[in-house]
């Protein structure tokens, strides 16, 4: 079934495998929701449940939903309906679970509904529907990491991403009151994790072979504000719960560290300095949303009118910096002149990676009450014009990389039937996050059959188009993180 997560952990013992209740899982939404799914799956495995690869094999199905924008709500409701139609017992969790009336209106037969960050509630419903005996010999038992405080969630042991990259969530919730967003209503105000807990999770991941850590939260720049930047233990020392301190420690582990959902707070300058020093990836994911000052004020977004100055300052610090952002076109009250301001900003800022979507009402969002809504046909016309400019800039910026030799992390093989295995590869540069940015299509050349998924190779870029690069592998250096690898202790 689509979005189902099959076979996420090895079977342990034939008898236990036969006896274990089987739970299907559908994970929707953003990377932050994906981490929640990993935590639930880890606990399922710890308590002796198996993850079913299909509806037919599942005795119950958990649907982790998204409730941010209208299309995501519809996708979530459709997934719940599909699971119910298959005849299973369905437990709904995640953002849409914070609005149970909306779910029950469409699907009154769901077995249970919980909100986001509700692993204990989900597990309670699973135990009630599918009782099982916890077997300490067959269960995958999570162990509390040093530096974890009471109430901090266990780091997930089951990963839904490939071995070579992982999302690390450093905070939940958000303190902003953006007019188009209901995340604070769904997930509450910001709650940060202690730095020690985050760092021990990252350390374990890198020790297990993870080469890329993607740092996520709703507002990554505000990490630690709610904790008043308190210190916590990491490897015998004390580390502040502040983004600069966290980034510096993460950068010492030897993995790629990628920052997502960063707001342009003043201390981000220090993060960009770490990028210039090669400690973390020169990549910032900044949801700017618009450029016209009046629209930004209507959106209740911070930093109205200052984005260009900030971008120039960051690029002066780190010329290799890659900036990705998302924008909303057709926000209520947006005039043609203000949309042109957005296009002018795009031309001047020359952002590397850009996404956009037309504004749509979100239930309970304050923006719904704003006057002068933009007609749907105008929204679509503006979206097309916006993406035409963004695509041209992307084409020009990628063409500048032709002839260079870049580090590329390999995500998958792309062999034709007649190719020797491992001849054609697909990967990403330091400027590309998985799933949202471009890719690099490589010919392995002399390294055919030697490159594995997750390897970081050196590649000469030979061609480019609107979003992707093309080239050939020229070197396969050995990756040596600065932490002892599990199973390879003593090697650094």
């Amino acid at each position: 079934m689509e979005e189902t997560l099959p076979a996420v952990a090895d079977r342990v013992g034939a008898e236990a495998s036969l006896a274990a209740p089987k739970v299907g899982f559908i994970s929707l939404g953003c990377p932050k929701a994906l981490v929640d799914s990993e935590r639930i799956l880890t606990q399922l495995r710890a308590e002796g449940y198996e993850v079913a690869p299909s509806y037919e094999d599942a005795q119950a199905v958990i649907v982790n939903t998204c409730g941010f924008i209208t299309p995501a709500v519809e996708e979530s409701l459709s997934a719940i309906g599909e699971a119910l139609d298959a005849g299973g017992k369905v437990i709904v969790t995640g953002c849409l679970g914070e609005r149970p009336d909306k779910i029950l209106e469409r699907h009154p037969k769901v077995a249970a509904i919980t909100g986001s960050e509700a692993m204990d509630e989900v597990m309670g419903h699973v135990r009630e529907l599918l009782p099982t005996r916890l077997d300490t010999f067959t269960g995958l038992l999570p162990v509390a990491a040093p530096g974890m405080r009471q109430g901090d969630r266990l780091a997930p042991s089951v990963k839904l991403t490939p071995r070579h990259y992982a999302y690390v969530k450093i905070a939940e919730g958000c303190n902003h009151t953006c007019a188009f967003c209901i995340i604070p209503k769904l997930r509450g105000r910001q709650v940060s994790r202690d730095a020690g807990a985050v760092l021990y999770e990252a350390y374990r991941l890198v020790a297990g072979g993870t080469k890329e850590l993607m740092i996520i939260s709703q507002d990554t720049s505000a990490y630690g504000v709610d904790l008043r930047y308190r210190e916590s233990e990491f490897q015998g020392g004390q580390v502040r719960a502040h983004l600069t301190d966290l980034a510096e420690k993460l950068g010492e582990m030897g993995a790629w560290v990628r920052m997502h959902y960063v707001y342009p707070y003043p201390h981000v300058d220090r993060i960009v300095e770490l990028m210039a020093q090669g400690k973390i990836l020169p990549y910032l994911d900044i949801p700017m949303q618009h450029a016209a000052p009046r629209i930004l004020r209507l959106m209740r977004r911070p930093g109205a009118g200052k984005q260009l100055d900030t971008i120039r300052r960051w690029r002066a610090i780190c010329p290799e910096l890659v900036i990705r952002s998302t924008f909303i076109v057709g926000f209520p009250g947006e005039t043609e002149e203000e949309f042109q301001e957005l296009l002018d900003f795009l031309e001047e800022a020359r952002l590397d990676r850009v996404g956009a979507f037309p504004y749509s009402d979100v239930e309970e969002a304050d923006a719904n009450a704003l006057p002068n809504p933009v007609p749907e046909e105008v929204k679509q016309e503006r979206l097309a014009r916006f993406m035409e400019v963004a695509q041209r800039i992307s084409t020009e910026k990628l063409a500048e990389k032709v002839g260079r030799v870049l580090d590329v992390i390999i995500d998958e093989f792309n062999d034709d039937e007649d190719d020797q295995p491992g001849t054609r590869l697909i990967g990403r540069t330091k400027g590309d996050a998985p799933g949202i940015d471009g890719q690099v299509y490589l010919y392995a050349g002399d390294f055919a059959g030697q490159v594995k998924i997750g390897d970081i190779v050196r590649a000469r870029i030979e061609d480019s188009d609107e979003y992707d690069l093309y080239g050939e592998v020229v070197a396969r250096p050995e990756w040596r993180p600065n932490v002892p690898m599990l199973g390879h202790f003593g090697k650094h």
Side-chain angles (χ1 to χ4, degrees):
M1 59 184 178
E2 286 190 7
E3 305 291 344
T4 303
L5 309 172
V8 295
D10 294 335
R11 296 177 184 268
V12 186
E15 292 182 6
S17 178
L18 290 172
K22 296 181 179 181
V23 180
F25 208 105
I26 300 171
S27 185
L28 303 172
C30 65
K32 296 180 285 294
L34 186 76
V35 174
D36 293 342
S37 296
E38 290 177 335
R39 288 172 176 162
I40 295 170
L41 285 163
T42 296
Q43 191 61 34
L44 285 169
R45 291 289 291 142
E47 297 190 18
Y49 294 92
E50 284 192 12
V51 178
S54 67
Y55 288 126
E56 290 74 20
D57 296 325
Q59 296 161 270
V61 177
I62 299 170
V63 184
N64 190 4
T65 59
C66 179
F68 180 41
I69 58 176
T70 301
V73 170
E74 286 302 315
E75 181 185 22
S76 294
L77 290 171
S78 295
I80 295 167
E82 184 179 309
L84 285 169
D85 290 343
K89 304 170 183 177
V90 178
I91 299 169
V92 180
T93 188
C95 285
L96 189 57
E98 301 286 350
R99 294 148 68 184
D101 292 347
K102 193 167 192 67
I103 296 169
L104 291 172
E105 181 183 352
R106 182 86 65 91
H107 302 299
K109 294 184 178 181
V110 295
I113 301 173
T114 77
S116 57
E117 282 281 287
M119 183 184 74
D120 294 339
E121 293 179 59
V122 170
M123 290 306 304
H125 292 304
V126 170
R127 296 183 203 110
E128 185 178 342
L129 293 172
L130 302 175
T132 186
R133 178 176 63 87
L134 177 62
D135 190 332
T136 56
F137 293 98
T138 60
L140 175 64
L141 300 178
V143 179
M148 293 184 69
R149 295 175 182 265
Q150 186 174 7
D152 192 21
R153 291 296 184 194
L154 290 169
S157 299
V158 174
K159 285 174 78 257
L160 302 180
T161 54
R163 181 188 180 198
H164 61 282
Y165 67 79
Y167 294 99
V168 178
K169 184 157 60 170
I170 63 175
E172 187 56 76
C174 184
N175 293 339
H176 293 290
T177 59
C178 300
F180 55 83
C181 181
I182 59 171
I183 291 298
K185 295 179 182 178
L186 297 178
R187 291 183 171 259
R189 291 179 63 81
Q190 177 158 311
V191 179
S192 301
R193 300 172 63 194
D194 275 315
V198 174
L199 291 168
Y200 274 115
E201 178 185 347
Y203 191 93
R204 177 184 64 79
L205 285 166
V206 177
T210 300
K211 298 179 181 179
E212 180 178 11
L213 302 171
M214 283 166 288
I215 309 306
I216 58 171
S217 68
Q218 202 63 41
D219 177 2
T220 298
S221 301
Y223 168 68
V225 169
D226 55 299
L227 302 180
R228 297 187 178 182
Y229 307 121
R230 71 186 177 201
E231 294 183 337
S232 55
E233 187 274 336
F234 177 63
Q235 294 187 326
Q238 295 292 309
V239 184
R240 282 195 314 159
H242 192 284
L243 187 61
T244 56
D245 300 56
L246 186 71
E248 193 147 13
K249 284 293 184 183
L250 288 168
E252 293 172 359
M253 296 185 187
W256 285 13
V257 178
R258 190 182 300 279
M259 294 287 174
H260 286 272
Y261 315 117
V262 175
Y263 281 68
Y265 296 4
H267 63 262
V268 176
D269 286 20
R270 174 59 185 148
I271 301 298
V272 178
E273 289 173 6
L274 294 175
M275 296 174 181
Q277 296 163 13
K279 294 185 177 180
I280 64 176
L281 293 185
Y283 178 99
L284 281 178
D285 179 356
I286 311 164
M288 295 179 186
Q289 308 299 5
H290 213 278
R294 190 184 73 90
I295 296 298
L296 287 168
R297 287 193 295 270
L298 286 175
M299 289 179 169
R300 297 203 293 264
R301 297 290 292 175
K306 298 179 181 178
Q307 296 103 315
L308 275 175
D309 291 340
T310 301
I311 291 169
R312 292 188 185 109
R313 186 172 68 251
W314 287 343
R315 284 179 171 158
I317 297 170
C318 181
E320 292 291 308
L321 177 63
V322 169
I323 299 176
R324 113 166 302 277
S325 191
T326 52
F327 295 87
I328 298 172
V329 300
F331 190 77
E334 180 191 66
T335 65
E336 176 61 27
E337 291 74 22
E338 286 166 329
F339 175 69
Q340 188 60 50
E341 281 187 68
L342 177 56
L343 294 185
D344 293 343
F345 167 82
L346 203 58
E347 294 278 12
E348 198 162 354
R350 293 183 64 78
L351 302 177
D352 303 86
R353 311 282 186 261
V354 173
F357 55 92
Y359 173 80
S360 62
D361 285 346
V362 176
E363 189 174 336
E364 299 181 37
D366 294 345
N368 298 346
L370 290 173
N372 304 316
V374 177
E376 188 61 36
E377 62 272 17
V378 176
K379 291 180 193 175
Q380 295 300 328
E381 185 265 342
R382 288 179 182 174
L383 177 64
R385 287 160 59 196
F386 179 96
M387 292 310 300
E388 183 180 354
V389 173
Q391 186 180 79
R392 173 172 50 77
I393 293 170
S394 176
T395 302
E396 292 167 358
K397 298 209 76 167
L398 290 177
E400 295 171 1
K401 300 183 185 298
V402 174
R404 296 180 58 186
V405 175
L406 303 175
D407 290 335
V408 177
I409 191 166
I410 303 302
D411 288 329
E412 57 183 302
F413 296 130
N414 192 37
D415 296 320
D416 292 329
E417 289 183 5
D418 298 331
D419 288 331
Q420 175 187 343
T423 296
R424 301 180 190 276
L425 315 164
I426 302 177
R428 293 173 289 108
T429 71
K430 293 179 178 180
D432 299 299
I436 55 175
D437 295 326
Q439 295 177 306
V440 186
Y441 293 84
L442 294 177
Y443 176 63
D446 294 340
F447 296 89
Q450 302 177 40
V451 180
K452 303 186 296 296
I453 301 298
D455 279 356
I456 297 175
V457 301
R458 301 282 288 163
R460 180 181 296 106
I461 305 304
E462 298 171 341
D463 200 2
S464 64
D465 58 22
E466 297 94 333
Y467 300 115
D468 300 316
L469 297 171
Y470 304 83
E472 182 173 351
V473 177
V474 296
R476 181 175 170 262
E478 184 178 358
W479 180 68
R480 292 180 176 272
N482 296 326
V483 305
M485 298 284 290
L486 295 176
H488 301 277
F489 292 101
K491 295 182 180 180
H492 289 72

